[in-house]
Each structure stands twice: as structure tokens, then as C-alpha cells.
Amino acid sequence: MWFLAIFTFVLSVVVLGLSIFPGPLEMAPPTASRIAGGAYMVFAATAIIRHVHRSRQTEKSIQRGSVAAMLLLLASTPTLLWFDVPRRLVFCYHASEFESLLSDAPLPANRAIVPLNANLSVYWVDQWGTDSRGGTYLRTMSGRADGKADRRSFGFVHKPNAVGSPFGDDRYELRHLTGDWYSFSATDDR
């Protein structure tokens, strides 16, 4: 049981660590993610139920601690991901670095993207643009998402518009982080 608890802890740390960056978890094929997550939940739940139904005489305190840790991780990790807690916390810690870039933002234009190549602590911003409809977009990742041919861009945006980004308007999504800052994803129209 302790091995399963350690595995659950490591898996949770990896997933929560990846969630601080816009893109990596969103690019995973949703069907494969659901199947893998569901299979692990069933496996862990079966192990926990089997352990709980054992004779009380054979239980050890370390095994009870392992079960409690697994239950806590199995409940808290999806909750933290649902509310973007890791991304919000890390972004809030580094928000001043993003704020310092805004004074040098490109002039607003429709679909105008310029290279930036800025290393902001844990984030790397390769391109940015200020959309004529509003918002300064800083792209931190791009790639093919969900196993589809469409190329997607991911990053952060200050004061976004509701319609789209300089990188594209299709499948445009925003998630509020703090104040006027959001994370975004959009399918590139280029």
C-alpha cells in the first residue's frame, strides 16, 4: 500500500507541476487522459477498499497513513486542477515580471505577432501581440493539441477581448487568473 501512496504522490506532483504552464495538459488527448485517469482511480479505489476490509489485527499505522494520504491526494488533485490553483499561485508570484513587459507591448493591430523570446523565471514567452480588439497576448507554448492537425497557441493575456486573440479566434478559451490577467488558448488561423 505504501508504494501506491508514493506513486500517487509523485503522479499528483507531476500533474500539478505541469498545470502551472498553459498548454501541456490541454494538449493531451482528452480520451486517453480520461481512460488513464479513470483506470488509475478504479485501481486505487480497489486497493483502498481491499485494505479497509482487511482484518483489523493485521493493520499497521503506516498502512492507515498510506490510505489516508492516497484518499487526500485522489480528492485534492482534481479539485486543485479544476480551479487552476497551481497556475494561479505561480502566476501571481511572477505577475510583476509580466507587468513590466506591458509598457513595451507592440502597438495594437489585427493579427500582428512579434517575437519576444523573454525568459520570465519559470515561463518562456516566445511571441506576443496586442490585439486591436483589446488585450496583450504573451504566448508561452504552441503545438498540435488533442491529436488534431490544428496548431494551438497557449499563454497569458492582459485585459483580453471576448472574441479572439492575435494568434487565432477558433476554439478561443480564457481562464481568469488574477485581476486583469487570464490564461488563453486558441487555434491558430495561420
Side-chain angles (χ1 to χ4, degrees):
M1 187 57 72
W2 62 268
F3 177 76
L4 191 56
I6 291 172
F7 179 75
T8 303
F9 174 77
V10 170
L11 186 63
S12 292
V13 167
V14 168
V15 170
L16 292 172
L18 286 174
S19 74
I20 68 171
F21 303 101
L25 296 182
E26 292 92 335
M27 288 179 51
T31 304
S33 299
R34 288 187 194 114
I35 289 171
Y40 180 72
M41 293 288 257
V42 167
F43 174 71
T46 303
I48 290 170
I49 291 169
R50 191 180 120 242
H51 177 73
V52 168
H53 282 67
R54 275 191 196 165
S55 166
R56 292 267 180 204
Q57 297 170 351
T58 61
E59 285 190 42
K60 297 177 185 172
S61 63
I62 195 164
Q63 290 176 334
R64 281 184 260 144
S66 297
V67 170
M70 282 180 47
L71 288 173
L72 180 65
L73 289 168
L74 289 174
S76 63
T77 300
T79 304
L80 292 171
L81 289 173
W82 180 261
F83 292 105
D84 285 328
V85 173
R87 187 176 298 171
R88 285 174 194 234
L89 289 175
V90 173
F91 181 82
C92 286
Y93 185 76
H94 297 288
S96 62
E97 295 176 59
F98 284 90
E99 295 277 345
S100 68
L101 291 175
L102 293 177
S103 62
D104 297 325
L107 295 175
N110 191 23
R111 303 273 190 260
I113 301 168
V114 295
L116 181 59
N117 296 320
N119 185 6
L120 305 176
S121 300
V122 296
Y123 298 108
W124 174 263
V125 180
D126 67 340
Q127 294 181 340
W128 67 336
T130 303
D131 196 82
S132 61
R133 300 166 290 190
T136 301
Y137 292 76
L138 299 103
R139 186 174 79 178
T140 58
M141 183 176 188
S142 68
R144 308 235 182 267
D146 304 335
K148 297 181 180 171
D150 296 336
R151 185 167 194 75
R152 294 198 33 95
S153 289
F154 303 91
F156 299 105
V157 56
H158 183 256
K159 295 184 179 179
N161 68 75
V163 182
S165 77
F167 298 97
D169 299 338
D170 192 31
R171 292 178 34 204
Y172 177 63
E173 297 173 17
L174 295 170
R175 295 191 64 116
H176 185 257
L177 297 173
T178 182
D180 291 330
W181 286 98
Y182 293 74
S183 62
F184 81 93
S185 62
T187 299
D188 297 356
D189 291 337
R190 296 175 195 267

